[in-house]
Amino acid sequence: MEINVNNTFFTGKFLLHLPSVDSTNNYAKSHIAKSSPIDGTVILADEQVAGRGQNGTVWLSEAKKNLTFSIIYQTSFLQATDQFYLSIAVSLGVWEIVNIHILKTNKTKLTAKIKWPNDIYINDNKIAGILIENTIVGMNLKYSIIGIGFNVNQDVFPKELNATSLKLEIQKGFDRNILLNEALTAIEKYFLLLKELKFDRLKNEYIENLYRYNILSRFKIEDQPFEGKIIDIDATGNLIIETQTGKEKFRFKEISYL
C-alpha cells in the first residue's frame, strides 16, 4: 500500500515500510543499534513471520490484512519508575482509534475497552495488542520501542485466541493507510500529554476505560479462582482488586481473567 503519514507533528514522518520481517520490534532494535533514530520513526510491515506479544507470546497476523508496526520514541524525559505511564498513553491512543474514530462513527453500539495492562478488547475479544520495550540509562528511559498489532481486515482466527477484527465487528473492509494515519495521530496526542507529565489525566482516562472496571468479575491466581472488582492501578502498573478479604495488588501475569 502507498504510505503517506499526515496530521502528526513527528510520529511516522520517517517511516520504513517492509514487505516482510520477523518482528517490527526486532527490526527497530537493530535500527537503534546501528544509528541514532529520528524521534517518532515508524517500522511498518505487511507481514510479520515471528511477531511477539507480552511475555514471549506469539502475535499471529495474516499478511497484508492488518496493521503491524513499531514506533521508536525518545523517552529520556521519563523516569524508569514512571514507565507504566508510557503504556497507559499508548493504550489510550490505540483505544481511541478503535472506540471513537471507528466504532462510534459507524453508528454501532459496540465499545472498546483496555484490558490491563495494554490490550484492546471489543466485548470479550482482543482486537489490538501492544508490546513496549524500553532502554534504560541510569534513572531514566532513553528509547522506547512500541510494537502494535491491530486486527483490521482479517476474518478468520483460531478459536482459542478469542480475537476479532474491525471487519468482523463492522462488517466491512478498511483502508489500512487511513487507519495507520489515524492511529499514529491518536498515539502521538497521548504521547505529547505524557511529555507534559500529565500523569493524573492519563491515569484517570485509562481507568475510566478499563475492561471490567468496577464490575464484579472472576479471576484466577495459579489454580485458585476468586471474585473481585478492579478498582485502581498503582504507579508501577499493579492492578488493584477489591476482594472479600480487602484490597489486593497483582503484578502482570500473576492473575488471569475467567
Side-chain angles (χ1 to χ4, degrees):
M1 64 179 176
E2 183 179 352
I3 308 297
N4 296 298
V5 175
N6 306 308
N7 304 323
T8 65
F9 291 107
F10 61 97
T11 305
K13 296 305 183 184
F14 183 75
L15 186 146
L16 295 170
H17 183 200
L18 309 172
S20 182
V21 72
D22 60 344
S23 156
T24 56
N25 268 30
N26 287 347
Y27 191 97
K29 286 180 186 178
S30 177
H31 186 62
I32 290 172
K34 295 175 183 177
S35 64
S36 297
I38 297 170
D39 196 13
T41 292
V42 170
I43 315 296
L44 173 72
D46 290 331
E47 178 186 33
Q48 281 192 134
V49 296
R52 294 182 290 120
Q54 294 281 3
N55 278 21
T57 58
V58 177
W59 181 266
L60 300 176
S61 180
E62 197 171 337
K64 295 185 178 181
K65 289 197 174 182
N66 304 308
L67 284 175
T68 49
F69 62 96
S70 296
I71 306 171
I72 301 173
Y73 276 138
Q74 295 175 11
T75 48
S76 57
F77 64 89
L78 197 62
Q79 292 186 354
T81 53
D82 294 326
Q83 62 185 285
F84 189 72
Y85 288 100
L86 174 61
S87 179
I88 287 176
V90 176
S91 299
L92 286 168
V94 180
W95 164 84
E96 182 172 280
I97 181 62
V98 175
N99 196 55
I100 296 176
H101 292 305
I102 297 168
L103 298 182
K104 289 189 177 178
T105 57
N106 282 277
K107 299 180 181 179
T108 74
K109 294 182 180 180
L110 299 170
T111 57
K113 293 291 183 180
I114 302 167
K115 184 180 178 184
W116 174 80
N118 54 19
D119 286 335
I120 310 302
Y121 268 53
I122 296 179
N123 294 327
D124 294 318
N125 295 313
K126 183 174 178 177
I127 193 167
I130 299 164
L131 175 63
I132 299 176
E133 298 179 280
N134 297 313
T135 301
I136 300 174
V137 177
M139 302 293 289
N140 288 59
L141 305 188
K142 184 177 181 181
Y143 287 110
S144 294
I145 299 171
I146 298 158
I148 296 170
F150 186 1
N151 297 331
V152 180
N153 292 320
Q154 186 168 337
D155 49 17
V156 177
F157 296 92
K159 289 184 179 180
E160 64 271 16
L161 292 184
N162 291 328
T164 190
S165 68
L166 293 178
K167 184 177 181 182
L168 286 174
E169 299 296 336
I170 309 299
Q171 298 299 307
K172 73 172 188 179
F174 286 81
D175 185 310
R176 290 186 298 140
N177 188 34
I178 292 174
L179 288 179
L180 177 66
N181 272 274
E182 294 282 355
L184 295 181
T185 300
I187 292 166
E188 185 182 82
K189 181 183 84 171
Y190 284 103
F191 183 74
L192 291 174
L193 288 174
L194 182 70
K195 289 192 78 170
E196 296 174 5
L197 306 182
K198 302 289 188 181
F199 292 163
D200 288 343
R201 174 176 171 180
L202 290 168
K203 178 183 173 181
N204 290 339
E205 191 167 346
Y206 175 87
I207 290 174
E208 286 173 5
N209 295 290
L210 202 55
Y211 176 72
R212 296 193 189 175
Y213 171 66
N214 207 28
I215 296 173
L216 186 63
S217 302
R218 286 174 54 79
F219 304 91
K220 182 174 70 171
I221 181 166
E222 295 180 347
D223 291 326
Q224 297 299 317
F226 69 96
E227 288 189 338
K229 289 183 181 181
I230 297 171
I231 59 171
D232 205 352
I233 56 168
D234 67 14
T236 59
N238 292 319
L239 191 67
I240 301 175
I241 298 179
E242 187 173 57
T243 69
Q244 291 180 340
T245 57
K247 297 178 183 178
E248 297 187 43
K249 291 184 180 182
F250 298 95
R251 298 185 302 273
F252 181 52
K253 291 294 183 183
E254 189 175 5
I255 65 167
S256 56
Y257 295 70
L258 293 176

